[in-house]
């Protein structure tokens, strides 16, 4: 029985995402990329309602989708004032092990947008909290 390419290529595809984030954020290891991507995705999720979370997840390939939904329990969305607020939340959660750059939120979102097809990038971008919408135009990408 053949498997869908999305499953066959999942690990390599996710490694490509981590390599791209490593280069963009000037990390030394893929572990830093993984921790930062998880931190941004989980932080982002806290500021989205259930429908936004599920639609955003649907736009992602299997491994990033699993990372995004890992440990999630539905809860009301917390208000988000700015990209800097989310970056600080991510930084506060990671500083025991990693020091992500101030640009980590836009770096992760740019990496996601760069690796999704245009339809899924648009669908994911439409789910972002209002405070993160400027990232879409700042980087001139679909997310």
């Amino acid at each position: 029985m053949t498997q869908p390419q999305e499953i066959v290529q999942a690990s390599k595809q996710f490694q490509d995402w981590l390599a791209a984030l490593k280069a963009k954020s000037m990390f030394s290891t893929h572990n830093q990329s993984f921790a930062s991507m998880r931190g941004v995705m989980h932080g982002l999720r806290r500021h989205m309602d259930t429908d936004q979370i599920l639609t955003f997840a649907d736009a992602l390939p299997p491994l990033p989708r699993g990372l995004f939904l890992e440990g999630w329990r539905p809860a009301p969305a917390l208000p988000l004032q700015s990209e800097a607020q989310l970056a600080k939340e991510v930084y506060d959660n990671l500083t025991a092990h990693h020091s992500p750059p101030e640009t980590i939120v836009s770096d992760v979102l740019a990496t996601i947008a760069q690796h999704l097809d245009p339809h899924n990038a648009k669908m994911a971008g439409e789910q972002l909290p209002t405070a993160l919408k400027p990232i879409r135009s700042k980087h001139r990408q679909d997310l």
Side-chain angles (χ1 to χ4, degrees), residues 1-140:
M1 175 188 255
T2 58
Q3 294 185 7
Q5 283 299 312
E6 187 174 60
I7 301 303
V8 172
Q9 297 295 323
S11 182
K12 183 194 177 318
Q13 182 184 53
F14 192 56
Q15 288 297 318
D16 291 346
W17 286 40
L18 295 178
L21 182 58
K22 179 182 169 192
K24 184 176 270 315
S25 296
M26 295 186 289
F27 289 132
S28 354
T29 69
H30 279 63
N31 286 343
Q32 291 171 308
S33 296
F34 180 82
S36 294
M37 185 169 291
R38 175 194 280 155
V40 170
M41 286 182 156
H42 288 190
L44 177 61
R45 199 177 65 196
R46 285 191 297 272
H47 300 286
M48 300 167 90
D49 65 34
T50 300
D51 287 341
Q52 289 172 309
I53 290 168
L54 293 174
T55 303
F56 189 90
D58 281 346
L60 300 173
L63 292 180
R65 181 183 314 132
L67 183 63
F68 181 66
L69 295 174
E70 172 190 47
W72 174 59
R73 301 294 178 268
L78 299 174
L80 182 64
Q81 302 304 314
S82 66
E83 176 185 349
Q85 176 192 341
L86 181 55
K88 181 177 180 340
E89 291 173 11
V90 171
Y91 184 82
D92 289 347
N93 287 328
L94 290 176
T95 53
H97 306 287
H98 305 287
S99 294
E102 291 179 10
T103 58
I104 193 59
V105 173
S106 61
D107 290 353
V108 167
L109 293 177
T111 299
I112 292 170
Q114 179 182 29
H115 289 88
L116 293 177
D117 65 60
H119 170 76
N120 284 337
K122 182 177 188 294
M123 184 169 69
E126 289 171 349
Q127 307 316 307
L128 294 176
T130 303
L132 298 180
K133 299 286 184 179
I135 290 174
R136 291 174 77 179
S137 58
K138 182 167 99 176
H139 296 287
R140 295 183 185 178

